[in-house]
Amino acid sequence: MQSFQFLVKEGKIKSMSPKNWSEAEVREYILYCKTLMSAADMVHEINALRQLLLFIDNPAVDLCLAHNPMLKPKFKGTRRKESMSDALYDLILERSRNIDSGDFHRVRAYALVMMAITTGTRNKEIRLANVEDVDTTMWTFDIIHVKGEGTYGLPRTVPLHPDVREILSLYLILRKKWLVDNNLNSHALFPSKDGADGYLSGNAIRRIKAVVEDDLDVKFDLRMCRRTFGQKYLDSDVDIESVSVLMGHAITKTTEGFYSRKRLNKAIDNSRNSWLSSGGQ
């Protein structure tokens, strides 16, 4: 948004809304981004802008790149970073099962982190979630406020893994009491006592996550939680197409390039198992 404001102020683009951009304005935006981003980030940014504009029938990105093919970096590497180690995940899970049931703030922190890991939610998606989005009968979580909401992003439903159910159930009980104690009426899954709309800010979500970091003397970010979600499902032999859908990606290339990919040892094991099942040697 700040980039848009700067370019409008400089007279490089006419509108704050990309849906009204021409090929020339897309070019100005890409040139500006080149001064701020790495090649990997540029590829991701251009792809996201293209997807957004195509959703509203604006081919400006495609036209721009067709006439200026050198604008898009030829990035052949990967931005995929490490997911959470099994040891760290097990540490968080074990601690979540042994918290003082009356410690609202610690229970909330572990519920949030376990939700982030086991549902693959982005900061915004968990921040704006409502308590009604959680179904503790079918054990599913409806993710409504997705990335690209209102344009290319589509709501999705993910299963609530058994590992999160215990701490989530405890949190939901304590959440009700906390709302009564603070004379609040909020639909937010993780409600705010200070926010005008009843929802926590993005920074507040990170501060709650930091309670777990401080408690265990470890460091991780929410994107690592999201990568771990994808990796654990792939390691459990869920196919990449299904994992991509659960993560809210339009194409599997995004999942593999930026988040998760089947580990080599799992690929080898799966190959050997397929040989055995087919009678091969």
Side-chain angles (χ1 to χ4, degrees):
M1 189 63 70
Q2 289 181 338
S3 298
F4 297 173
Q5 291 172 339
F6 173 79
L7 291 173
V8 169
K9 184 178 179 181
E10 292 291 308
K12 301 292 186 180
I13 61 176
K14 297 177 181 178
S15 171
M16 286 283 291
S17 175
K19 71 179 181 180
N20 299 319
W21 285 4
S22 65
E23 175 186 339
E25 287 170 307
V26 168
R27 181 177 182 276
E28 291 296 338
Y29 178 67
I30 293 176
L31 288 173
Y32 177 70
C33 287
K34 275 194 169 186
T35 67
L36 305 174
M37 300 179 183
S38 66
D41 286 334
M42 278 296 303
V43 171
H44 190 62
E45 185 70 15
I46 292 171
N47 287 341
L49 180 62
R50 177 180 180 273
Q51 192 174 24
L52 169 61
L53 294 193
L54 287 178
F55 181 85
I56 51 178
D57 297 321
N58 183 346
V61 174
D62 284 341
L63 291 173
C64 178
L65 294 178
H67 295 138
N68 305 273
M70 299 305 294
L71 276 181
K72 187 174 182 178
K74 301 295 183 182
F75 180 70
K76 298 181 180 179
T78 177
R79 278 192 64 211
R80 189 174 62 251
K81 298 180 180 179
E82 288 298 313
S83 59
M84 193 173 284
S85 68
D86 290 341
L88 176 52
Y89 177 78
D90 290 343
L91 184 64
I92 295 172
L93 175 61
E94 181 63 24
R95 181 73 175 109
S96 76
R97 292 171 171 169
N98 293 283
I99 303 173
D100 178 354
S101 61
D103 188 341
F104 171 77
H105 294 289
R106 206 174 299 272
V107 169
R108 178 180 63 176
Y110 277 90
L112 187 148
V113 168
M114 286 300 298
M115 282 287 286
I117 297 173
T118 59
T119 64
T121 39
R122 301 175 176 92
N123 186 312
K124 170 190 173 181
E125 293 171 340
I126 200 164
R127 181 176 75 81
L128 297 180
N130 288 326
V131 69
E132 295 88 355
D133 300 335
V134 174
D135 184 336
T136 55
T137 300
M138 299 300 295
W139 288 108
T140 57
F141 179 40
D142 295 330
I143 303 173
I144 308 299
H145 299 285
V146 298
K147 181 178 180 180
E149 182 181 4
T151 53
Y152 63 87
L154 296 175
R156 65 189 189 277
T157 299
V158 296
L160 285 168
H161 193 279
D163 285 354
V164 75
R165 295 177 189 178
E166 182 178 341
I167 187 66
L168 179 59
S169 297
L170 175 58
Y171 167 70
L172 291 175
I173 294 170
L174 296 187
R175 173 188 173 278
K176 286 183 179 180
K177 181 178 184 302
W178 183 84
L179 288 174
V180 171
D181 290 346
N182 288 277
N183 195 28
L184 295 172
N185 181 19
S186 173
H187 289 277
L189 178 59
F190 293 97
S192 170
K193 195 164 50 172
D194 305 312
D197 60 358
Y199 296 92
L200 294 166
S201 67
N203 284 335
I205 291 290
R206 285 184 280 272
R207 287 194 294 271
I208 292 173
K209 181 264 301 180
V211 171
V212 174
E213 292 179 303
D214 293 342
D215 192 39
L216 300 177
D217 193 23
V218 297
K219 287 293 180 183
F220 59 90
D221 59 25
L222 290 174
R223 295 197 73 169
M224 175 178 276
C225 295
R226 183 163 159 77
R227 291 193 298 272
T228 303
F229 167 81
Q231 193 63 57
K232 282 193 168 294
Y233 271 104
L234 285 174
D235 289 347
S236 299
D237 293 330
V238 177
D239 62 272
I240 186 66
E241 288 82 5
S242 297
V243 173
S244 186
V245 170
L246 290 174
M247 295 189 76
H249 292 153
I251 55 175
T252 59
K253 185 177 179 180
T254 302
T255 311
E256 293 184 289
F258 293 84
Y259 291 93
S260 312
R261 192 168 186 267
K262 186 179 285 290
R263 299 183 198 273
L264 178 59
N265 64 319
K266 290 294 296 183
I268 292 172
D269 288 344
N270 288 350
S271 298
R272 286 173 174 162
N273 291 337
S274 69
W275 295 343
L276 293 173
S277 63
S278 63
Q281 299 297 319

